[in-house]
Amino acid sequence: MTEHKINKTYQQINARIRSGEAVVVTAEEIIDIVKNEGPVEAARRVDVVTTGTFAPMCSSGAFINFGHTVPTTKASKVWLNNVSAYAGVAAVDCYIGVTEPCEDDPLNKVYPGEFNYGGGHVIHDLVAGKKIHLKAEAYGTDCYPNRNIEKEVTLRKLPNAVLCNPRNAYQNYNCAVNLINKTVYTYMGTLKPNAANANYCSAGQLSPLFNDPYYKTIGLGTRIFLGGAQGYVTWHGTQHKPGAKRTKRGIPLTPAGTLWVMGDLKKMSPRWLVGASLQGYGCSMSVGLGIPIPILNEEIVNYTAVSDEELFTQIVDYGHDYPNGISKSYGKVSYAELKSGYIKFRGEEVQTVPLSSIVRAREVAEILKGWILKGDFLIGEPQFTLPS
Amino acid sequence: MYSKILILRFPKTEAEKPIVCYLAKDYDLTFNILNAAVLPRKEGIMVLELSGTKKDFKEGVKYLRSQGVQVQNASQEVKRIKKKCTHCGSCTAVCPTGALAVQRPEMLVDFNQKKCSVCELCLTACPSRAMEARPTNKAFF
């Protein structure tokens, strides 16, 4: 027995995708469909809702196996284009994290630092097909006697390269202001003194986890758009916090769920993995990510119909509070207000600044929709869903 | 009134001669020296803002060149490398003139070069480094 009027299985939805009959719409298009036709009719008619986001996602990186040399090497330190990669994995494996700046970067010694090249830029250059200078040091063993390697590598020639991002696609994020009297340079962008601007970073109604707030269709094995190719959700992301306070519709009011995602870097594209330099803060990488939500019933379609007016976040001070570990909200604001260009804060109009590209988020959702309509992309049924 | 910032390079044979004063005396131009130095190999460099009528300006620059002075236009403009822009919007936090603004409801970042004051704050505020300052390529006389 079930409480839903419409009940579809993953297998039924995939059968419709294979036969080219599936109805696929984006998370923006579904809003009016549910408004006009009601959730039951919408769930009957629509099979998949596609979401998308494109923004700097610091907790990203790639595992790279760079192949053996003669004589053999057990690398203990590795650099890619002079950016240090973690080499304590195995003989010729390393992990390049996107926030690692290149050696000799002046960092914040010349404040605010520019951070022009880091791990995210290495990954961007790799997927762009550029040659990367690899340098490795080793201490030498009986089975791996070589102590130094320097060579040029390209993504095509690397034996393996896997994007593995431990925390992506944050379900909601703070709206940042600066309440002190000097400019601060943060991972939330440049914040002018005395709350002269309010920065935010979410695709709002297009954002993956806003469209399935209780992760009813998302878990290990969910097939996604990642960096321009097919990837997978493999776990809940680090700092995943499903217990955040929520609205009646289940929308968390503070940063909540996160995703651990993986995919074959060799298939990805430089348009969707873009090295980022955050002034005064550090290096990062903007990641294009999209999740297709299978419409299993009217409850799921109702979640996907959420609009910016119903999505809220908290205003947080990054001038004093955040660096001092003070968790304090200066008010609740909707994404519709944030996207309008101004919010009312302490009785004054404050300019809002987005950090997450809605243009690119929409493009991700559209590409994903195209893949599914063409029958190239089937919905992955999770082995288990994320903790909720 | 025509006004431009110029970079003048004097070869070491000319570095000690009074040259720029004749721009005022003979060509009716005014100038404001922004920077001047004689470099270790004795060649001179001077950055000045030169103002006057367009005709006098042209004659003045011709005179400088006849004296062996290399004349270069120092004015810059900010351009957007369209391919690199991801339309995130970060630059709109620092742009003081509204030349960089989010176009709604599409949420496209629009760059109106006419409003740009060439403050260059966007160069380092842009995470994908899509903004660049470069010398204006328009001929200055």
Side-chain angles (χ1 to χ4, degrees), chain A residues 60-61 83 96-101 117-127 273-276 283-286:
Chain A
S60 301
V83 178
I96 177 98
V98 301
T99 63
E100 186 70 37
Y117 200 86
H121 299 88
V122 172
I123 293 176
H124 176 77
D125 283 346
L126 273 170
V127 288
L273 296 175
V274 180
C283 301
S284 188
M285 184 170 74
S286 294

Side-chain angles (χ1 to χ4, degrees), chain B residues 76-124:
Chain B
Q76 298 233 84
E77 59 183 355
V78 169
K79 285 265 180 184
R80 172 163 63 170
I81 310 162
K82 282 199 178 144
K83 233 176 80 182
K84 283 192 174 181
C85 174
T86 66
H87 296 275
C88 69
S90 308
C91 54
T92 62
V94 297
C95 181
T97 62
L100 285 157
V102 176
Q103 192 183 308
R104 297 183 160 81
E106 302 84 0
M107 301 300 285
L108 269 166
V109 176
D110 188 42
F111 178 47
N112 181 351
Q113 211 186 346
K114 282 186 192 136
K115 283 191 183 173
C116 174
S117 66
V118 203
C119 72
E120 301 184 14
L121 287 174
C122 54
L123 269 61
T124 45

Side-chain angles (χ1 to χ4, degrees), chain A residues 54 114 116 190 192 197 200 274-279 339-341 351-360 362, chain B residues 83-95 100 102 104-109 121 124-129:
Chain A
F54 182 84
E114 293 187 8
N116 287 311
T190 304
K192 291 182 279 192
N197 57 312
Y200 65 99
V274 180
S277 304
L278 305 176
Q279 187 179 22
K339 282 187 188 169
S340 77
Q351 182 203 358
T352 59
V353 174
L355 306 171
S356 177
S357 173
I358 300 302
V359 174
R360 289 285 185 98
R362 205 171 278 142
Chain B
K83 233 176 80 182
K84 283 192 174 181
C85 174
T86 66
H87 296 275
C88 69
S90 308
C91 54
T92 62
V94 297
C95 181
L100 285 157
V102 176
R104 297 183 160 81
E106 302 84 0
M107 301 300 285
L108 269 166
V109 176
L121 287 174
T124 45
C126 171
S128 57
R129 296 286 184 262

